[in-house]
mmCIF file of all heavy atoms in Angstrom:
data_model
loop_
_atom_site.group_PDB
_atom_site.id
_atom_site.type_symbol
_atom_site.label_atom_id
_atom_site.label_comp_id
_atom_site.label_asym_id
_atom_site.label_seq_id
_atom_site.Cartn_x
_atom_site.Cartn_y
_atom_site.Cartn_z
ATOM 1 N N GLY A 58 -13.996 37.619 16.275
ATOM 2 C CA GLY A 58 -14.559 36.415 16.855
ATOM 3 C C GLY A 58 -15.897 36.689 17.508
ATOM 4 O O GLY A 58 -16.098 37.744 18.118
ATOM 5 N N SER A 59 -16.803 35.752 17.360
ATOM 6 C CA SER A 59 -18.133 35.897 17.952
ATOM 7 C C SER A 59 -18.514 34.643 18.699
ATOM 8 O O SER A 59 -19.676 34.311 18.830
ATOM 9 C CB SER A 59 -19.155 36.196 16.865
ATOM 10 O OG SER A 59 -19.268 35.055 16.023
ATOM 11 N N LEU A 61 -18.039 32.453 22.430
ATOM 12 C CA LEU A 61 -18.410 32.922 23.763
ATOM 13 C C LEU A 61 -17.592 34.134 24.161
ATOM 14 O O LEU A 61 -18.127 35.113 24.672
ATOM 15 C CB LEU A 61 -18.203 31.801 24.781
ATOM 16 C CG LEU A 61 -19.270 30.730 24.717
ATOM 17 C CD1 LEU A 61 -18.947 29.595 25.669
ATOM 18 C CD2 LEU A 61 -20.643 31.308 25.063
ATOM 19 N N ALA A 62 -16.297 34.088 23.918
ATOM 20 C CA ALA A 62 -15.443 35.200 24.348
ATOM 21 C C ALA A 62 -15.731 36.449 23.517
ATOM 22 O O ALA A 62 -15.933 37.539 24.072
ATOM 23 C CB ALA A 62 -13.973 34.796 24.232
ATOM 24 N N THR A 81 -16.502 37.941 12.106
ATOM 25 C CA THR A 81 -16.466 36.485 12.158
ATOM 26 C C THR A 81 -16.408 35.950 10.734
ATOM 27 O O THR A 81 -16.995 36.539 9.827
ATOM 28 C CB THR A 81 -17.685 35.881 12.874
ATOM 29 O OG1 THR A 81 -17.714 34.472 12.633
ATOM 30 C CG2 THR A 81 -18.999 36.457 12.382
ATOM 31 N N HIS A 83 -17.712 33.190 10.074
ATOM 32 C CA HIS A 83 -18.946 32.421 9.919
ATOM 33 C C HIS A 83 -20.023 33.257 9.240
ATOM 34 O O HIS A 83 -19.928 34.476 9.182
ATOM 35 C CB HIS A 83 -19.432 31.959 11.291
ATOM 36 C CG HIS A 83 -18.622 30.844 11.864
ATOM 37 N ND1 HIS A 83 -17.594 31.059 12.765
ATOM 38 C CD2 HIS A 83 -18.660 29.514 11.645
ATOM 39 C CE1 HIS A 83 -17.060 29.889 13.081
ATOM 40 N NE2 HIS A 83 -17.684 28.937 12.411
ATOM 41 N N HIS A 90 -17.601 28.102 16.993
ATOM 42 C CA HIS A 90 -17.324 26.759 17.499
ATOM 43 C C HIS A 90 -17.825 26.535 18.935
ATOM 44 O O HIS A 90 -18.167 25.412 19.305
ATOM 45 C CB HIS A 90 -15.820 26.521 17.388
ATOM 46 C CG HIS A 90 -15.323 25.397 18.191
ATOM 47 N ND1 HIS A 90 -15.790 24.116 18.015
ATOM 48 C CD2 HIS A 90 -14.441 25.333 19.205
ATOM 49 C CE1 HIS A 90 -15.190 23.326 18.890
ATOM 50 N NE2 HIS A 90 -14.378 24.044 19.614
ATOM 51 N N SER A 91 -17.932 27.593 19.721
ATOM 52 C CA SER A 91 -18.451 27.454 21.091
ATOM 53 C C SER A 91 -19.803 26.754 21.123
ATOM 54 O O SER A 91 -20.183 26.148 22.131
ATOM 55 C CB SER A 91 -18.641 28.831 21.738
ATOM 56 O OG SER A 91 -17.432 29.503 21.915
ATOM 57 N N GLY A 96 -20.847 19.638 27.755
ATOM 58 C CA GLY A 96 -21.100 19.188 29.123
ATOM 59 C C GLY A 96 -21.512 20.226 30.133
ATOM 60 O O GLY A 96 -22.398 19.990 30.957
ATOM 61 N N GLY A 97 -20.894 21.396 30.139
ATOM 62 C CA GLY A 97 -21.301 22.336 31.167
ATOM 63 C C GLY A 97 -20.299 23.433 31.440
ATOM 64 O O GLY A 97 -19.267 23.533 30.782
ATOM 65 N N MET A 209 -10.331 37.904 9.254
ATOM 66 C CA MET A 209 -9.184 38.748 9.527
ATOM 67 C C MET A 209 -7.940 38.122 8.918
ATOM 68 O O MET A 209 -7.641 36.962 9.173
ATOM 69 C CB MET A 209 -8.981 38.890 11.033
ATOM 70 C CG MET A 209 -7.772 39.707 11.378
ATOM 71 S SD MET A 209 -7.212 39.381 13.046
ATOM 72 C CE MET A 209 -5.542 38.864 12.691
ATOM 73 N N HIS A 447 -8.519 18.069 21.545
ATOM 74 C CA HIS A 447 -9.763 18.716 21.921
ATOM 75 C C HIS A 447 -9.628 20.210 22.182
ATOM 76 O O HIS A 447 -10.498 21.002 21.843
ATOM 77 C CB HIS A 447 -10.265 18.024 23.191
ATOM 78 C CG HIS A 447 -11.524 18.597 23.732
ATOM 79 N ND1 HIS A 447 -12.690 18.619 23.015
ATOM 80 C CD2 HIS A 447 -11.810 19.179 24.918
ATOM 81 C CE1 HIS A 447 -13.639 19.190 23.747
ATOM 82 N NE2 HIS A 447 -13.130 19.548 24.891
ATOM 83 N N TYR A 448 -8.541 20.607 22.793
ATOM 84 C CA TYR A 448 -8.463 21.982 23.292
ATOM 85 C C TYR A 448 -6.999 22.379 23.363
ATOM 86 O O TYR A 448 -6.127 21.546 23.513
ATOM 87 C CB TYR A 448 -9.091 22.038 24.689
ATOM 88 C CG TYR A 448 -9.082 23.408 25.323
ATOM 89 C CD1 TYR A 448 -10.123 24.299 25.084
ATOM 90 C CD2 TYR A 448 -8.029 23.828 26.138
ATOM 91 C CE1 TYR A 448 -10.126 25.561 25.649
ATOM 92 C CE2 TYR A 448 -8.026 25.093 26.702
ATOM 93 C CZ TYR A 448 -9.082 25.948 26.464
ATOM 94 O OH TYR A 448 -9.080 27.200 27.018
ATOM 95 N N GLU A 471 -10.204 30.947 24.249
ATOM 96 C CA GLU A 471 -9.227 29.894 23.971
ATOM 97 C C GLU A 471 -8.005 30.459 23.242
ATOM 98 O O GLU A 471 -6.940 29.840 23.248
ATOM 99 C CB GLU A 471 -9.895 28.760 23.165
ATOM 100 C CG GLU A 471 -9.069 27.485 23.155
ATOM 101 C CD GLU A 471 -9.775 26.297 22.508
ATOM 102 O OE1 GLU A 471 -11.016 26.274 22.467
ATOM 103 O OE2 GLU A 471 -9.063 25.388 22.050
ATOM 104 N N ALA A 484 -15.354 21.833 31.715
ATOM 105 C CA ALA A 484 -16.338 22.878 32.011
ATOM 106 C C ALA A 484 -15.700 24.212 32.419
ATOM 107 O O ALA A 484 -16.368 25.081 32.966
ATOM 108 C CB ALA A 484 -17.332 22.408 33.072
ATOM 109 N N ALA A 486 -13.597 25.994 30.135
ATOM 110 C CA ALA A 486 -13.331 26.844 28.968
ATOM 111 C C ALA A 486 -14.490 27.806 28.753
ATOM 112 O O ALA A 486 -14.291 28.986 28.466
ATOM 113 C CB ALA A 486 -13.121 26.006 27.716
ATOM 114 N N LEU A 487 -15.703 27.294 28.922
ATOM 115 C CA LEU A 487 -16.864 28.168 28.774
ATOM 116 C C LEU A 487 -16.796 29.252 29.831
ATOM 117 O O LEU A 487 -17.043 30.432 29.570
ATOM 118 C CB LEU A 487 -18.155 27.354 28.912
ATOM 119 C CG LEU A 487 -18.320 26.185 27.929
ATOM 120 C CD1 LEU A 487 -19.680 25.517 28.109
ATOM 121 C CD2 LEU A 487 -18.180 26.667 26.495
HETATM 122 C C1 LIG C 2 -16.830 19.316 21.115
HETATM 123 C C2 LIG C 2 -16.406 20.271 22.194
HETATM 124 C C3 LIG C 2 -17.067 20.287 23.408
HETATM 125 C C4 LIG C 2 -16.688 21.177 24.409
HETATM 126 N N1 LIG C 2 -17.357 21.141 25.607
HETATM 127 C C5 LIG C 2 -17.004 22.024 26.570
HETATM 128 C C6 LIG C 2 -17.709 22.038 27.814
HETATM 129 O O1 LIG C 2 -18.642 21.276 28.044
HETATM 130 N N2 LIG C 2 -17.341 22.933 28.741
HETATM 131 C C7 LIG C 2 -16.324 23.815 28.524
HETATM 132 O O2 LIG C 2 -16.054 24.620 29.397
HETATM 133 N N3 LIG C 2 -15.647 23.820 27.356
HETATM 134 C C8 LIG C 2 -15.959 22.944 26.378
HETATM 135 N N4 LIG C 2 -15.264 22.955 25.194
HETATM 136 C C9 LIG C 2 -14.265 23.998 24.931
HETATM 137 C C10 LIG C 2 -14.952 25.293 24.557
HETATM 138 O O3 LIG C 2 -16.080 25.024 23.771
HETATM 139 C C11 LIG C 2 -14.074 26.249 23.771
HETATM 140 O O4 LIG C 2 -12.825 26.328 24.347
HETATM 141 C C12 LIG C 2 -14.673 27.619 23.753
HETATM 142 O O5 LIG C 2 -16.002 27.572 23.311
HETATM 143 C C13 LIG C 2 -13.877 28.578 22.891
HETATM 144 O O6 LIG C 2 -14.569 29.795 22.795
HETATM 145 P P1 LIG C 2 -13.925 31.053 22.086
HETATM 146 O O7 LIG C 2 -14.942 32.128 22.164
HETATM 147 O O8 LIG C 2 -12.599 31.315 22.658
HETATM 148 O O9 LIG C 2 -13.677 30.605 20.572
HETATM 149 P P2 LIG C 2 -14.651 30.044 19.426
HETATM 150 O O10 LIG C 2 -15.980 29.670 19.920
HETATM 151 O O11 LIG C 2 -13.850 29.025 18.710
HETATM 152 O O12 LIG C 2 -14.886 31.276 18.489
HETATM 153 C C14 LIG C 2 -13.934 31.762 17.614
HETATM 154 C C15 LIG C 2 -14.539 32.873 16.815
HETATM 155 O O13 LIG C 2 -13.525 33.576 16.128
HETATM 156 C C16 LIG C 2 -13.856 33.725 14.786
HETATM 157 N N5 LIG C 2 -12.598 33.791 14.053
HETATM 158 C C17 LIG C 2 -11.496 33.022 14.195
HETATM 159 N N6 LIG C 2 -10.524 33.410 13.353
HETATM 160 C C18 LIG C 2 -11.019 34.458 12.670
HETATM 161 C C19 LIG C 2 -10.501 35.291 11.646
HETATM 162 N N7 LIG C 2 -9.275 35.129 11.163
HETATM 163 N N8 LIG C 2 -11.296 36.272 11.164
HETATM 164 C C20 LIG C 2 -12.568 36.451 11.635
HETATM 165 N N9 LIG C 2 -13.094 35.690 12.596
HETATM 166 C C21 LIG C 2 -12.332 34.704 13.107
HETATM 167 C C22 LIG C 2 -14.752 32.565 14.464
HETATM 168 O O14 LIG C 2 -15.563 32.877 13.349
HETATM 169 C C23 LIG C 2 -15.541 32.453 15.762
HETATM 170 O O15 LIG C 2 -16.593 33.383 15.742
HETATM 171 C C24 LIG C 2 -15.631 22.066 24.189
HETATM 172 C C25 LIG C 2 -14.965 22.053 22.970
HETATM 173 C C26 LIG C 2 -15.317 21.131 21.995
HETATM 174 C C27 LIG C 2 -14.517 21.068 20.743
#
Side-chain angles (χ1 to χ4, degrees):
Chain A
S59 66
L61 285 175
T81 168
H83 286 97
H90 163 59
S91 295
M209 178 201 122
H447 178 61
Y448 180 87
E471 195 173 336
L487 303 184

